[in-house]
Amino acid sequence: MKSVVELPKELSETSGLFCDADGMFSLNDSGNAPVIYRVNYQGEIVERTRLPLTNRDWEAITADDTSFYIADVGNNKGNREKVEIHKVSRLNANDITTFTLKYAGNNASSNMPYAHDFDSEAMVKYGKELLLFSKSWRTGITHIYKINEGEIEQTINPFASIEGLPGVVTGVDFDPHQGKFVITGYKSDPFGNFATFIAQISQDYTLHDIWPLERYKQVEGVCVDNKGTYWFSEEATEGRNASLSSAHVTR
């Protein structure tokens, strides 16, 4: 592990991470202010961009050269019929396109909390593709969805799946240096115990490697900087403050 720094209390519920050339971007999850935070690699907030949106349950952030993508997709209890992704211009925070998504087969009235597959917390812009990775509580099989940016309202079906992960997926990025996706997540129980992990996935969505993150609990975001260093953010939990960590992972 290269470094661990404490995040400001303002980012106690950090729930997504995107690496940029000179820092990274994060956001808080459900019920918090609709703000994109620019954070330096020392964990300090250097800029806040407030958006004219409601943060129902923001869970992920990714970007390309022209836009941020914010995933308002949190659905642990399974009671959302539809979720949203907001595409925000990096030049004008008021220039926003919202995509409304419905999972194929999702019947919100019959879902049991924390026991269904229609939930997600991980999203990445991979080339020209915008990909959403499911948080599959019921089956443990991670489903991957491709979002059509030409369609404002759409029903999404998985085009690929990943088996063998030791818990639910909470963050994803693509590592161009190794040509693999990097994901993070955890398995938890009602007593506050977490088994947290980071993993690499091939470009054909095959599981390659898994490493435990033994001192961590609710890790929520991961990104790869331009040097190939992996960064991940941890939400505050009982007895632990929110943190930002980095690691070098090679194979």
Side-chain angles (χ1 to χ4, degrees), residues 59-60 76 119-123 132-137 140-144 162 165-173 182-187 197 199 201 207 219-222:
E59 291 291 354
N76 285 337
D119 190 11
S120 177
E121 291 193 8
M123 178 177 66
L132 193 65
F133 286 59
S134 76
K135 190 179 183 183
S136 298
W137 298 98
I141 300 171
T142 300
H143 304 299
I144 306 167
I162 305 168
L165 291 169
V168 295
V169 173
T170 56
V172 61
D173 198 9
V182 54
I183 62 175
T184 193
Y186 55 78
K187 186 175 183 179
F197 67 91
I201 308 295
L207 177 60
V219 171
E220 293 283 333
V222 66

Side-chain angles (χ1 to χ4, degrees), residues 175-220:
D175 177 3
H177 305 273
Q178 299 191 47
K180 299 173 185 174
F181 292 96
V182 54
I183 62 175
T184 193
Y186 55 78
K187 186 175 183 179
S188 60
D189 65 25
F191 305 104
N193 298 308
F194 285 81
T196 307
F197 67 91
I198 193 166
Q200 287 180 330
I201 308 295
S202 70
Q203 292 180 61
D204 64 359
Y205 306 103
T206 301
L207 177 60
H208 269 209
D209 290 294
I210 305 172
W211 298 268
L213 296 174
E214 294 177 346
R215 300 190 304 276
Y216 293 85
K217 287 191 174 182
Q218 201 165 332
V219 171
E220 293 283 333

Side-chain angles (χ1 to χ4, degrees), residues 10-158:
E10 193 174 348
L11 268 170
S12 289
E13 297 188 48
T14 177
S15 195
L17 203 62
F18 174 75
C19 287
D20 216 9
D22 57 352
M24 58 191 75
F25 294 89
S26 189
L27 41 76
N28 286 310
D29 62 15
S30 57
N32 284 284
V35 173
I36 297 174
Y37 295 90
R38 184 165 163 252
V39 181
N40 63 24
Y41 286 109
Q42 290 73 48
E44 301 164 329
I45 297 171
V46 295
E47 186 178 5
R48 298 165 180 83
T49 302
R50 189 178 182 97
L51 303 180
L53 295 168
T54 297
N55 180 350
R56 180 171 178 182
D57 199 351
W58 289 7
E59 291 291 354
I61 182 170
T62 188
D64 55 23
D65 291 341
T66 59
S67 303
F68 291 110
Y69 297 83
I70 295 170
D72 192 336
V73 296
N75 191 29
N76 285 337
K77 294 182 179 179
N79 55 9
R80 296 182 72 173
E81 287 283 356
K82 297 179 180 179
V83 296
E84 296 177 331
I85 294 174
H86 306 294
K87 181 179 182 180
V88 182
S89 169
R90 297 185 70 154
L91 297 177
N92 178 6
N94 293 307
D95 181 1
I96 300 172
T97 302
T98 296
F99 305 105
T100 301
L101 315 177
K102 179 177 175 60
Y103 294 101
N106 179 29
N107 183 355
S109 62
S110 64
N111 290 335
M112 295 291 290
Y114 306 97
H116 62 93
D117 280 10
F118 305 110
D119 190 11
S120 177
E121 291 193 8
M123 178 177 66
V124 61
K125 191 69 188 289
Y126 171 54
K128 294 184 178 180
E129 297 179 346
L130 183 62
L131 305 179
L132 193 65
F133 286 59
S134 76
K135 190 179 183 183
S136 298
W137 298 98
R138 184 177 65 84
T139 64
I141 300 171
T142 300
H143 304 299
I144 306 167
Y145 301 87
K146 191 177 299 182
I147 310 305
N148 181 357
E149 294 186 49
E151 196 172 340
I152 296 299
E153 295 191 14
Q154 55 194 286
T155 298
I156 55 175
N157 286 276

